[in-house]
Amino acid sequence: MHKIEILADHMYHKPIDSLTSRELYEVLLHYVKEEAASRPLNSSKKKLYYLSAEFLIGKLLSTNLINLGDYDEVKDLLAEHGQSLNDVEDAEQEPSLGNGGLGRLAACFLDSIASLGITGDGVGLNYHFGLFRQTLDHNEQGTLPDEWLDADTWLEKEEGKSYEVPFAKFTLHSTLYNIDVLGFEKETRNRLRLFDLDSVSSDIIEEGSIQFDKTNVEKNLTLFLYPDDSDRNGNLLRIYQQYFMVSNAAQLIIDEALEKGSNLHDLADFATIQINDTHPTFVIPELIRLLTTRYDFSFEEAVAIARKTVAFTNHTILAEALEKWPMSDIEEVIPDIAAIIRQLDQLVRQEFPGNQKVTVIDDQNRAHMAHIAMHFGYSINGVAKLHTQILKETELNDFYQIYPEKFNNKTNGISFRRWIMSCNPSLARLFDQLIGSSWRHDEDLTGLEKYIYSENVHQNLEHIKEANKEALNVFLDHNQGVTFNPNSIVDVQIKRFHEYKRQQMLALYIIYKYHAIKNGDIPKRPITIIFGGKAAPAYIIAQDIIHLIMTLSDRIKNDPDVSPYLQVIMVKNYNVTAAEHLIPAADISEQISLASKEASGTGNMKFMLNGALTLGTMDGANVEIAERVGQDNIYTFGRSSEGIVNLYATHGYHPQDYYNRPAIKALVDDIVSEDILKLGNPERLNRLYNDIKGKDWFMAMIDIEEFIQTKEKVYQDYEDRKSWLAKVVKNIAQAGYFSSDRTISDYNQDIWHLEEH
Ligand SMILES: *Cc1c(COP(=O)(O)O)cnc(C)c1O
């Protein structure tokens, strides 16, 4: 008998044939956990700690089975018993520990770190209700607590591990949960370490909402990810969360170094700490606090140790995302840390006298987290070539002037285990047939170049895409009772809702297309435009954009002149699972951010690997995709990032100049046309209309005309199947560079310097 059959019998006293999907999931969960636990931990002298407020890990059953090398065997075993592994996968709840690209990147990185045999753990928090679960009733986003924590999960409590975290008003004692992280066909493992608090309780959440008593820290600390910070208590709670995370991390790091024989003077020989954006920056003053108070180091030496140990990744140039905390808030929550931050500020003022732009504390008495990370860490990296260049030349130029040697680029990547092997197994098998299976280990797909014009390969690709569209239909039907024409072009924009990502520009295109079809310009083939994404609860305009899209969707659905040719779908509760269904079915990847604003993007890479063509601006990693595939194999449009940076610097964008062009005015005015106002919520629609017309901070109107032209060309080109599929093959063949194994290997060579096994 197979171990799984024995486990099934042991747990349920039933054969596999008669287990429900949920029961079978529990059996496989236990099987994988046992297999994982039997693997030794990676244990090189020096260890990486990847600190992140988010780990958007997705469901873990399939990718763990793939990494164990057991996936096909288990699938066959279940099939012999009349069970389907796909149904079992559906029974798993997706962990809700992140919200978007930054958290997903951290998850891909953990997979790659383990797959390269690097000793490295993720460290974060165990949010009981995650971000939120998105509902879409009455064409508006609603928010509910995401109850992802089942009785039985991937989490394992580490007994006996608890740290004291001192706040001004009380001291908390943490608990620690671990999730094993397996590498691809590796005999060892790492862990994701998630700190938590026993006293946290859902009884302070208001029924049916994500509102809760923000002042009751002992009960709310790890309830939600990024609680609303639109008021002061929300801000204070973020400081509580961040400090709780990093104090635990720092104590864990020191503990583990001591266990391995460190005298802490040499901490940097035992640990390197990568901080994922500014959220874990308090780890720097916390290390200094621990070293000076518990281990009697001088302040100067503690600072020197931090400077050799901590490395910082910047993820954005959006000013509002660079965290600045009022010193009075830090003082109120963690006065010892506030005192250290003042000392760090003094130090910087001595080192760079007269340089007001690089101080730790500004003239409004706010602490700049990124400034702490850059002065007191040893590495500063951006996440795509263009992004790093913008950091050096403009956004962080003052720091580049004083620390040029600290700056480096690490273009983001994605885990091929999840984003092709698991989500698109038939395409992965096609790669095996064409170029052998070594790509599964080295992600080298360039062997596919010789099939660019192969009719046989084109036919295979068509069949796989068709089947994936059918599978997406089943998923959408199940998720929200919606289906689409599987013979349509599937055109997808899935990502967090943010004005800089310009979902509103695609909505304007939908208005354009609606009127074109009404006027008799019938598309050669039906078009399905799919959106997915959550908007932050305090981000009203982003929710207005969701509302506009859903209202436009209704208008089209209700109009028999248009509905046979155009459908608009807003996917409910976009998450990793939804992405895994959407991306393999997509023909067109919408990557239309305002140039200079998307630091990298990783969705763009997932689509490319799965045979969709990019329609995008020259922004983030789109630039590197274009470089690799050549301008003939990607559809780019819009103002350049240089031009946009310049427009902001000179206040040179005036929305009226664009609004007053009749073609654009017609589209924008349609947002508040009679039929749309009748279908939708006038308050939301008027607000959005006024915002685009009068402000348009992220310049949707500046590129709309070129966007429409380019989209029309994309749809037209789609009809030349030979030429389209040649482009698809070229894109796939060039996708290997965007493996997160390559990214992690670069981090390790340039920043971490750890052994690979
Ligand atoms: C990849 C991914 C993202 C990031 O998408 P971008 O298009 O790069 O912003 C966000 N959410 C989920 C669930 C993802 O899988």
Side-chain angles (χ1 to χ4, degrees), residues 259-316:
E259 272 169 35
K260 285 187 286 189
S262 168
N263 57 24
L264 300 187
H265 296 279
D266 57 4
L267 182 64
D269 298 334
F270 289 84
T272 186
I273 302 170
Q274 188 72 40
I275 60 174
N276 194 24
D277 216 324
T278 54
H279 319 122
T281 303
F282 286 125
V283 75
I284 290 169
E286 176 63 2
L287 272 176
I288 295 169
R289 182 186 76 89
L290 292 167
L291 290 171
T292 52
T293 60
R294 285 198 191 160
Y295 303 98
D296 284 336
F297 283 64
S298 70
F299 179 74
E300 289 69 26
E301 198 188 353
V303 168
I305 290 169
R307 274 186 161 152
K308 283 190 282 189
T309 311
V310 179
F312 166 55
T313 302
N314 174 284
H315 280 270
T316 178

Side-chain angles (χ1 to χ4, degrees), residues 56 100-101 104 419 494-495 501 574-576 579 591 598 601-603 606:
L56 192 54
R104 184 54 233 171
W419 294 111
I494 45 175
K495 45 184 78 246
K501 292 178 182 277
Y574 176 60
N575 59 9
V576 176
Q591 307 299 337
E598 187 72 89
T602 50
K606 301 167 195 166

Side-chain angles (χ1 to χ4, degrees), residues 200-219:
V200 164
S201 163
S202 60
D203 67 15
I204 58 168
I205 303 175
E206 288 171 28
E207 182 71 27
S209 89
I210 54 171
Q211 300 299 318
F212 59 94
D213 177 0
K214 286 189 190 140
T215 62
N216 193 339
V217 174
E218 288 173 53
K219 288 193 171 191

Side-chain angles (χ1 to χ4, degrees), residues 702-757:
I702 204 169
D703 289 332
I704 182 68
E705 288 177 324
E706 212 187 315
F707 180 53
I708 291 171
Q709 283 166 17
T710 314
K711 267 189 92 59
E712 293 303 300
K713 166 134 176 68
V714 174
Y715 290 150
Q716 194 185 330
D717 283 6
Y718 183 89
E719 298 309 318
D720 183 348
R721 296 311 294 152
K722 230 171 146 163
S723 151
W724 182 274
L725 288 161
K727 292 180 167 73
V728 166
V729 180
K730 177 73 184 179
N731 271 267
I732 297 171
Q734 289 299 322
Y737 179 76
F738 300 103
S739 160
S740 49
D741 292 12
R742 186 274 309 155
T743 312
I744 288 302
S745 164
D746 289 350
Y747 271 91
N748 196 34
Q749 268 191 20
D750 300 343
I751 306 176
W752 304 334
H753 311 297
L754 294 159
E755 298 161 34
E756 296 182 14
H757 291 281

